[in-house]
Amino acid sequence: QEIEGISPQSLINIKPVTAAVKEAFKDMELPGGVHYEFNGENEYIMDAMKDLLLMLLIGILLVYLIMVAQFQSLKSPFIIMFTIPLAFTGGLLALILLNKEISIIAMIGFVILVGIIVNNGIVLVDYTNQLRGRGYSKREAILESGVTRMRPVLMTSLTTILGLIIMAFGKTAGTDMMQPLALVACGGLIYATVLTLLVVPVIYDIFNGEKFNAVKEDDLSIAGLLE
């Protein structure tokens, strides 16, 4: 039976087909003991999406724990994690603007963003902490870090964006399948890189007071830890 809303072109993508079938069966009265369910490709896609969501959550947790181990602090990694929602927002905006759906390939792009975008926050927060350890005030350290680390942040982001730009906007058969991944990565990096330079310093200022505990060489010498 022909279902209204399904065209031959839509058969390429299972989601419009599934949505149209659900709509067609919504008001249908089935006899007792009769039910319907979706199997095949739709079932595989739903299972894959659940697995990718789990991978995304585990990836975010692992990134946070690794940064906690490196910074030996809970606060600094927490500040850096604010870059992840910015990246996700940019990735979603890229898909919306170019009329693309959230597919399995696009979800892989979000997983990749988790590991990439935190680099910008790490560069800013780590250098800010270094400056404060040298005796800078909080405001001076934030301003100096933003000016000094702007170039490395832009360079690291631009190299990835330019590397994916052909895949994101290419029209060949090879780029079409992976296009959502590249769009999510490029959109997330562009959006988050710009806002990271504004949001991370503000969050750092909110969550940190003027006092900064740092171990100096003089303290180590007094304690006899330096020869």
Side-chain angles (χ1 to χ4, degrees):
Q1 181 181 359
E2 182 179 352
I3 299 176
E4 184 179 356
I6 299 181
S7 62
Q9 290 77 15
S10 66
L11 293 174
I12 299 173
N13 193 333
I14 195 65
K15 290 185 67 179
V17 177
T18 304
V21 172
K22 286 182 178 179
E23 184 66 25
F25 277 77
K26 183 174 64 174
D27 299 324
M28 183 178 294
E29 294 184 4
L30 298 175
V34 178
H35 70 282
Y36 67 91
E37 62 182 17
F38 293 90
N39 292 314
E41 187 175 349
N42 181 75
E43 184 181 16
Y44 297 146
I45 290 175
M46 293 300 103
D47 290 341
M49 291 294 282
K50 291 178 183 178
D51 292 340
L52 283 169
L53 286 173
L54 180 61
M55 289 171 56
L56 188 63
L57 293 175
I58 293 175
I60 292 173
L61 178 63
L62 289 176
V63 167
Y64 179 73
L65 293 177
I66 290 171
M67 289 193 294
V68 168
Q70 293 297 316
F71 279 96
Q72 297 183 358
S73 166
L74 296 174
K75 190 185 297 181
S76 293
F78 181 73
I79 295 170
I80 295 169
M81 296 298 285
F82 277 91
T83 59
I84 294 178
L86 297 177
F88 286 178
T89 303
L92 287 173
L93 287 175
L95 293 176
I96 292 171
L97 291 174
L98 293 168
N99 197 26
K100 299 289 184 179
E101 296 182 348
I102 300 179
S103 61
I104 294 176
I105 301 299
M107 286 297 298
I108 295 174
F110 285 111
V111 175
I112 292 172
L113 271 179
V114 172
I116 296 176
I117 198 59
V118 293
N119 294 337
N120 295 337
I122 290 171
V123 169
L124 285 173
V125 173
D126 182 58
Y127 191 63
T128 303
N129 289 338
Q130 289 182 33
L131 292 176
R132 296 191 71 188
R134 298 174 191 172
Y136 283 65
S137 67
K138 182 176 69 172
R139 182 176 177 81
E140 290 174 343
I142 291 173
L143 293 175
E144 180 66 22
S145 176
V147 173
T148 306
R149 288 294 181 253
M150 182 180 294
R151 182 181 293 179
V153 167
L154 292 177
M155 287 173 61
T156 53
S157 296
L158 284 174
T159 51
T160 306
I161 293 168
L162 293 176
L164 293 172
I165 201 75
I166 296 177
M167 186 187 298
F169 296 100
K171 298 297 182 181
T172 63
T175 58
D176 188 55
M177 186 179 71
M178 301 300 293
Q179 191 176 42
L181 184 152
L183 286 173
V184 167
C186 289
L189 281 171
I190 293 171
Y191 188 85
T193 298
V194 174
L195 290 185
T196 293
L197 296 171
L198 300 174
V199 173
V200 170
V202 172
I203 300 298
Y204 186 95
D205 185 41
I206 293 172
F207 280 89
N208 288 277
E210 290 294 336
K211 186 178 179 181
F212 184 78
N213 296 323
V215 179
K216 300 179 181 179
E217 290 189 5
D218 294 340
D219 299 330
L220 295 176
S221 298
I222 294 173
L225 298 178
L226 291 180
E227 298 180 357

